[in-house]
Amino acid sequence: MHGSTAHVHAYIDDAEGEVDDAVLIARTRAGSDDAYSELYRRYEYSAFRLARHLGRREEADDVVNEAFARVLDLLQRGKGPTESFRAYLFTTIRHECGARAKQEKRVRPTDDDTQIDSAVEFGAGTLDAFERETVRAAYASLPDRWREVLWALDVDGRKPQEIAAMLDLSPNSVSALVYRARAGLREAYLRQHVKTEAPEGEAHTEVRALFVRVLRRTATARDQERVHTHLASCSSCMTVYLELAEDAARVA
């Protein structure tokens, strides 16, 4: 009899007003397909709009379905968001769009062997005083070897073959060194932007310190999950994260 009463109350809750996301999340974790279908119905349209805005329009369907599938998998394993489903879903979509854009850039075919000569662009080539200082600080934080090869290539304008002779390296080793140095510069640049000090407390500060690695996809699975879980319930950190994501997209 008690179980029947509980079922009736749940039905009344659904009938009298829209069920809270947290309730639907809990029901999904308990195995309810209908609960997750309702979450999908609520956020499908806005999710597609975000995916179309951030990535290729023709890939929006795949991005959204992948994002919903990932969140469902986490919920079924007792992980993921507990309240802010929308924020968690949108973060997942941003990551998926970013990953696809990065992959497309990596596999873009070219027969131009001088691609290595292209410099890292910041601010479309026009930097204000703050950005100049940010780039300078990011460069200064790099290991000596990375600074040396970037300076020779991007400032002195030396060719990879010249750098190979100068550093007593093979051309392939120079290419690998440049790749690591540029990736390191991008990451250091983002670290100069992230606001790690959070007035809310140490937990927020620790999570913000992981943002760059999560955006650069170098964080461990455990750290990624920690960040996603925190963002799902912290609007202030989500704001910082999204601002940093925009900076990351400019230097991807």
Side-chain angles (χ1 to χ4, degrees):
M1 184 67 178
H2 178 72
S4 298
T5 303
H7 179 76
V8 170
H9 282 308
Y11 177 82
I12 291 174
D13 287 343
D14 289 355
E16 291 183 348
E18 191 173 70
V19 180
D20 187 81
D21 282 1
V23 175
L24 293 175
I25 289 171
R27 291 179 183 175
T28 299
R29 281 202 174 95
S32 172
D33 292 336
D34 289 341
Y36 200 68
S37 294
E38 173 60 19
L39 287 169
Y40 187 94
R41 183 196 65 78
R42 285 183 187 180
Y43 300 112
E44 175 188 14
Y45 177 71
S46 55
F48 276 114
R49 288 193 62 184
L50 178 63
R52 291 188 187 105
H53 173 70
L54 294 176
R56 303 175 64 142
R57 295 179 63 87
E58 61 269 25
E59 292 185 345
D61 286 355
D62 291 340
V63 169
V64 171
N65 289 332
E66 177 66 20
F68 270 107
R70 287 186 183 180
V71 178
L72 175 60
D73 177 64
L74 287 172
L75 292 177
Q76 290 175 334
R77 291 188 285 119
K79 300 178 180 180
T82 57
E83 295 179 354
S84 302
F85 181 86
R86 182 179 183 275
Y88 200 98
L89 176 69
F90 281 17
T91 299
T92 305
I93 289 172
R94 286 181 179 276
H95 273 289
E96 181 65 19
C97 288
R100 287 171 181 255
K102 192 171 184 180
Q103 180 65 23
E104 181 185 1
K105 188 173 182 180
R106 281 180 175 174
V107 300
R108 185 175 298 163
T110 179
D111 56 3
D112 185 1
D113 293 334
T114 66
Q115 282 288 328
I116 192 174
D117 289 337
S118 60
V120 179
E121 292 289 343
F122 291 101
T126 57
L127 304 180
D128 58 23
F130 171 76
E131 286 296 300
R132 286 196 298 273
E133 184 56 36
T134 298
V135 173
R136 186 179 295 110
Y139 175 79
S141 71
L142 298 178
D144 291 344
R145 192 74 157 175
W146 290 3
R147 293 203 308 269
E148 186 177 6
V149 72
L150 289 177
W151 190 275
L153 189 65
D154 296 334
V155 179
D156 292 341
R158 295 179 183 272
K159 297 295 183 183
Q161 295 81 358
E162 296 179 74
I163 298 173
M166 182 179 71
L167 299 180
D168 194 23
L169 295 172
S170 68
N172 285 341
S173 295
V174 170
S175 297
L177 182 61
V178 170
Y179 178 86
R180 291 196 302 273
R182 289 226 169 109
L185 180 58
R186 291 185 176 97
E187 187 161 321
Y189 172 80
L190 292 176
R191 289 190 187 283
Q192 295 295 321
H193 278 74
V194 67
K195 304 166 187 175
T196 56
E197 295 183 3
E200 297 90 341
E202 184 178 349
H204 302 265
T205 300
E206 291 176 354
V207 167
R208 292 184 186 188
L210 298 172
F211 282 0
V212 172
R213 277 187 284 167
V214 170
L215 287 168
R216 297 288 296 163
R217 304 183 74 81
T218 59
T220 64
R222 183 176 181 180
D223 283 342
Q224 288 184 48
E225 182 136 347
R226 180 183 178 189
V227 168
H228 290 323
T229 300
H230 181 86
L231 292 178
S233 59
C234 181
S235 59
S236 62
C237 284
M238 175 65 82
T239 298
V240 174
Y241 180 86
L242 295 181
E243 288 176 355
L244 189 64
E246 292 180 3
D247 290 326
R250 290 192 294 112
V251 297

